């Protein structure tokens, strides 16, 4: 089956002569966007990202002797220029690193932090009601950015040592300074983002025409202020961002909008190392992001619950499989609402939530024939066991090192404002806090004390850069995706598609997705699931809703000596570049 895919891919690409680079045609696609159901193949190293130029920049770093971390840092800075809706230096995220030498896994938390002057009631109006405008459309929702600190830490501590930070930022600076041609993907996102960008002259000057219409495909986008900010980081390291002129301009923009971020908040930001969450699924080891992300905990928890069901027997996208997965998802999201938050402020019972024994208890509450209404589900009790935008990219290098990185501004273009003079889009990440117990954020997620706003707290995330190792301990999958609350369930489905249903990586990335997060009590399904199946699910008591496609789960599967890239066809411009 696998061989068939490989040889078909080879035949198709040679026949079309597509994506060939250099004189002799390569034996397989090294550098390609999505081809239906066929992974992109490479032998030595690969970068899979949501944008082609950035993917190629990372691939070139690998070719020049950089390791996966060097390449990831270069991609991270490049996406801030080429994928401004989500790539960023004004936001934050998480990087999971696998070092082949010593078989080490490292989780770098560079999530944004709330400024010191953040009250628990910051997003409530004078009547005590949550006002989403405050968290989503004002600088009160802007967290202290973590990306620059995170990428710099990664390069310094886990890079190959062959490249300086300045060398890894240089391609991004060139693109920002000299400009590049807007492609379909960027043009589409600018159309979506235009209304918010238009509110700020500093944003409009970069991304819109003088008449207020967004740049279109074929236009030339230059980001001079961003180039200067990146140059300051290249010259001075993170200090070039967190102190001095850039920091002052960021604070000025925040102050002008009525926010509270100070120079001290910026100077005090630190990326931190966390212990990755570990679990297993049918003998495969899962490594993912720990709190302040909920991603890893709930991926492992859902997989633990599913391990007790013979999904292979039911088949992919069958009503039985979707039903059992949806029921497991609901239980995890109920726990998320109570137990997950910033571990520096709230004790998160990671071991309890990810324990197979706890999963067995939860599994026993699932009715195989009928959906449990959300109202009948409440957060469980794991304690007794206790001892629209983001982007994801992956890198695997020739030595078997790997990086899985998800970072974000939260919404498309964050809150829409470029801090004047910096080229830096401000995030609205603090909307990920539970502004008030039980009141949903932009992703419909509810929470309570564990995720209440507060000084220097990191808001709870769902971002989950993830890796899977086969039963012999070899790296087999590097994956992740944007998609807010749906990130967790998308990754569970990709892992199950590969392990339970033996799909190749491109098939699993393309497979129609479904998602249930307990509240709202709805089973969200992409188009592509059979109407017969949807009828069966409805008869089982699920409130099935068809929703637009979601996610962008760029992934790399390692299969023997071959790297196979899966790029998500739901977004324009997704790319895997190998060599
Ligand atoms: O950290 C989180 O969970 C969210 N801020 C991620 C937002 C996101 O994925 C939006 N992309 N579609």
């Amino acid at each position: 089956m696998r061989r068939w895919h490989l040889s078909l891919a080879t035949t198709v690409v040679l026949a079309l002569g597509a994506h060939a680079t250099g004189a002799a045609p390569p034996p397989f696609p090294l550098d390609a966007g999505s081809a239906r159901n066929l992974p992109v193949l490479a032998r030595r190293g690969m970068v899979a990202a949501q944008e082609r130029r950035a993917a190629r920049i990372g691939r070139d770093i690998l070719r020049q002797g950089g390791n996966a971390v060097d390449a990831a840092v270069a991609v991270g800075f490049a996406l801030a220029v080429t994928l401004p809706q989500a790539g960023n230096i004004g936001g934050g995220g998480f990087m999971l690193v696998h070092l082949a030498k010593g078989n080490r896994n490292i989780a770098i938390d560079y999530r944004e932090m709330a400024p010191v002057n953040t009250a628990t009631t910051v997003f409530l109006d004078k009547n005590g009601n949550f006002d989403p405008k405050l968290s989503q459309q004002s600088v009160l929702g802007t967290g202290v950015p973590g990306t620059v600190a995170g990428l710099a830490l990664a390069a310094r501590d886990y890079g190959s040592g062959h490249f300086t930070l300045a060398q890894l930022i240089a391609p991004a600076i060139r693109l920002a300074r000299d400009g590049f041609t807007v492609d379909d993907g960027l043009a589409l996102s600018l159309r979506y983002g235009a209304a918010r960008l238009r509110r700020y002259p500093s944003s409009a000057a970069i991304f819109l025409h003088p008449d207020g219409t967004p740049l279109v495909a074929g236009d030339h986008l230059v980001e001079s202020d961003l180039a200067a900010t990146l140059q300051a980081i290249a010259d001075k390291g993170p200090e070039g961002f967190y102190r001095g002129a850039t920091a002052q301009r960021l604070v000025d923009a925040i102050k002008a909008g009525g926010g509270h971020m100070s120079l001290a908040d910026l100077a005090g930001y630190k990326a931190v190392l966390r212990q990755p969450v570990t679990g297993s699924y049918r003998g495969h080891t899962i490594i993912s992001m720990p709190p302040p992300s909920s991603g890893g905990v709930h991926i492992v928890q859902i997989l633990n619950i599913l391990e007790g069901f013979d999904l292979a027997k039911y088949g992919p996208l069958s009503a039985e499989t979707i039903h059992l997965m949806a029921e497991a998802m609901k239980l995890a999201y109920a726990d998320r609402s109570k137990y997950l938050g910033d571990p520096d402020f709230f004790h998160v019972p990671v071991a309890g939530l990810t324990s197979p024994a706890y999963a067995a208890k939860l599994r026993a509450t699932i009715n195989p024939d009928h959906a449990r209404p959300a109202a009948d589900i409440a957060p469980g009790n794991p304690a007794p066991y206790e001892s629209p935008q983001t982007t994801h990219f992956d890198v695997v290098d020739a030595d078997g090192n790997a990086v899985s990185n998800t970072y974000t501004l939260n919404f498309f273009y964050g809150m829409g404002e470029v801090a004047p003079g910096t080229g830096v889009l401000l995030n609205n990440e603090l909307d990920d806090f539970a502004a008030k117990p039980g009141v949903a954020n932009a992703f419909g997620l509810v929470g309570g004390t564990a995720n209440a706003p507060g000084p220097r707290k990191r808001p709870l995330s769902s971002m989950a850069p993830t890796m899977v190792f086969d039963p012999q301990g070899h790296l087999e999958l590097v994956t992740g995706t944007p998609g807010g609350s749906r990130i967790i369930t998308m990754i569970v489905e990709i892992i199950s598609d590969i392990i339970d249903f033996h799909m190749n990586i491109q098939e699993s990335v393309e497979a129609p997705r479904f998602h249930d997060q307990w509240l709202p009590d709805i089973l969200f399904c992409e188009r592509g699931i059979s109407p017969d199946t949807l009828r069966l699910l409805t008869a089982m008591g699920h409130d099935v809703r068809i929703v637009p496609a979601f996610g962008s789960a760029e992934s790399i599967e390692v299969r023997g000596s071959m790297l196979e890239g899966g790029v998500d066809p739901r977004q324009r411009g997704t790319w895997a570049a190998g060599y």
Side-chain angles (χ1 to χ4, degrees):
M1 181 73 174
R2 296 287 180 167
R3 291 270 152 241
W4 184 84
H5 279 297
L6 199 156
S7 58
L8 182 63
T10 307
T11 317
V12 168
V13 167
L14 287 180
L16 298 178
H19 307 300
T21 51
F28 41 74
L30 296 158
D31 185 26
S34 68
R36 181 141 187 95
N37 283 348
L38 301 174
V40 180
L41 307 176
R43 278 214 197 277
R44 295 178 62 76
M46 182 178 276
V47 178
Q50 209 176 310
E51 196 278 325
R52 177 173 46 90
R53 291 179 188 85
R56 288 178 172 169
I57 284 169
R59 185 265 320 273
D60 291 345
I61 295 284
L62 293 178
R63 248 190 200 145
Q64 293 160 35
N67 70 4
V69 176
D70 296 326
V73 170
V75 173
F77 281 110
L79 286 170
V81 179
T82 60
L83 195 84
Q85 65 267 39
N88 67 81
I89 55 173
F94 303 111
M95 181 184 284
L96 193 62
V97 178
H98 171 67
L99 297 178
K101 192 169 169 213
N103 196 19
R104 291 172 64 203
N105 299 309
I106 296 130
I108 303 174
D109 164 3
Y110 60 94
R111 181 74 162 165
E112 300 91 329
M113 287 171 84
V116 134
N117 193 355
T118 300
T120 308
T121 53
V122 56
F123 301 128
L124 306 186
D125 65 18
K126 56 182 185 317
N127 301 318
N129 297 319
F130 172 44
D131 180 355
K133 279 204 290 302
L134 297 177
S135 60
Q136 297 169 12
Q137 297 177 32
S138 92
V139 288
L140 288 173
T142 305
V144 182
T147 298
V148 173
L151 296 180
L153 180 151
R156 187 194 66 196
D157 292 353
Y158 306 107
S160 65
H162 299 321
F163 293 85
T164 61
L165 184 64
Q167 287 171 316
L168 299 175
I169 302 176
I173 296 175
R174 267 196 299 279
L175 279 165
R177 187 193 56 212
D178 302 343
F180 61 94
T181 304
V182 174
D183 60 17
D184 285 345
L186 179 51
L188 191 67
S189 92
L190 284 168
R191 253 169 59 196
Y192 288 133
R196 278 181 305 124
L197 295 168
R198 206 172 283 133
R199 288 192 205 128
Y200 305 99
S202 52
S203 308
I206 300 168
F207 298 112
L208 308 181
H209 293 126
D211 69 357
T213 58
L215 298 187
V216 295
D219 282 343
H220 194 67
L221 171 61
V222 175
E223 296 165 90
S224 318
D225 287 342
L226 182 59
T229 299
L230 289 166
Q231 189 63 57
I233 301 166
D235 293 343
K236 301 182 192 140
E239 304 257 303
F241 182 84
Y242 291 101
R243 294 172 190 268
T246 306
Q248 187 61 58
R249 289 190 179 114
L250 291 171
V251 166
D252 289 347
I254 300 276
K255 286 265 147 61
H260 306 303
M261 195 188 299
S262 68
L263 285 172
D265 285 319
L266 281 162
Y269 183 85
K270 286 211 171 16
V272 293
L273 299 185
R274 309 264 182 205
Q275 191 63 36
V277 170
T278 305
S280 84
Y281 186 60
R282 305 194 202 280
H284 301 249
T285 301
I286 315 293
I287 306 283
S288 191
M289 204 63 211
S293 175
S294 60
V297 165
H298 295 306
I299 287 169
V300 168
Q301 184 185 16
I302 295 170
L303 289 172
N304 280 344
I305 297 172
L306 294 177
E307 203 169 36
F309 297 117
D310 189 358
L311 297 185
K313 185 175 90 190
Y314 301 126
L317 296 179
S318 65
E320 290 92 339
T321 294
I322 295 177
H323 167 68
L324 294 171
M325 286 183 130
E327 294 303 291
M329 291 170 184
K330 281 187 222 175
L331 294 165
Y333 280 84
D335 280 352
R336 185 189 190 279
S337 72
K338 179 167 175 183
Y339 293 112
L340 271 288
D342 181 344
D344 293 343
F345 292 82
F346 183 86
H347 173 68
V348 182
V350 173
L353 288 164
T354 57
S355 127
Y358 178 56
K361 281 204 163 191
L362 294 178
R363 191 186 309 121
T365 70
I366 293 178
N367 179 338
D369 303 316
H370 208 273
R372 284 176 75 195
D376 290 358
I377 296 175
N381 186 10
Y385 305 104
E386 178 67 358
S387 83
Q389 183 79 3
T390 303
T391 191
H392 177 81
F393 58 87
D394 315 289
V395 188
V396 177
D397 70 21
D399 295 323
N401 303 307
V403 168
S404 181
N405 188 93
T406 316
Y407 71 158
T408 186
L409 292 164
N410 198 27
F411 286 13
F412 264 60
Y413 301 95
M415 59 156 291
E417 179 178 7
V418 168
T422 66
V424 176
L425 278 154
L426 298 173
N427 68 76
N428 57 357
E429 212 71 61
L430 303 191
D431 184 63
D432 281 348
F433 280 125
K436 191 176 169 177
V439 176
N441 74 356
F443 297 100
L445 291 166
V446 291
T449 321
N451 188 30
R456 296 185 59 75
K457 281 183 81 174
R458 286 156 142 98
L460 182 60
S461 174
S462 301
M463 294 188 290
T466 297
M467 297 185 195
V468 180
F469 295 79
D470 70 16
Q472 288 70 46
H474 302 123
L475 178 70
E476 60 176 333
L477 177 66
V478 187
T479 190
T481 182
S485 57
R486 300 177 188 183
I487 289 171
I488 294 167
T489 53
M490 283 187 261
I491 296 173
V492 166
E493 287 162 36
I494 286 173
I495 292 173
S496 167
D497 284 343
I498 288 177
I499 294 178
D500 292 318
F501 306 127
H502 306 290
M503 292 187 193
N504 74 32
I505 188 63
Q506 187 63 33
E507 286 171 319
S508 67
V509 166
E510 286 186 18
R513 295 174 176 151
F514 52 92
H515 169 79
D516 195 322
Q517 62 181 51
W518 174 53
L519 297 173
D521 195 0
I522 291 171
L523 176 56
F524 298 97
C525 294
E526 287 187 339
R527 280 186 298 274
I529 299 173
S530 152
D532 300 342
T533 305
L534 299 179
R535 262 194 298 276
L536 290 171
L537 288 163
T538 306
M540 286 170 156
H542 293 279
D543 181 357
V544 174
R545 308 268 176 95
I546 303 292
V547 292
F550 48 88
S552 186
E554 277 54 72
S555 305
I556 299 176
E557 190 178 7
V558 186
R559 291 181 45 79
S561 62
M562 197 63 87
L563 299 174
E564 305 195 358
V567 287
D568 203 322
R570 292 165 181 79
Q571 299 286 331
R572 287 159 205 260
T574 55
W575 206 262
Y579 79 110

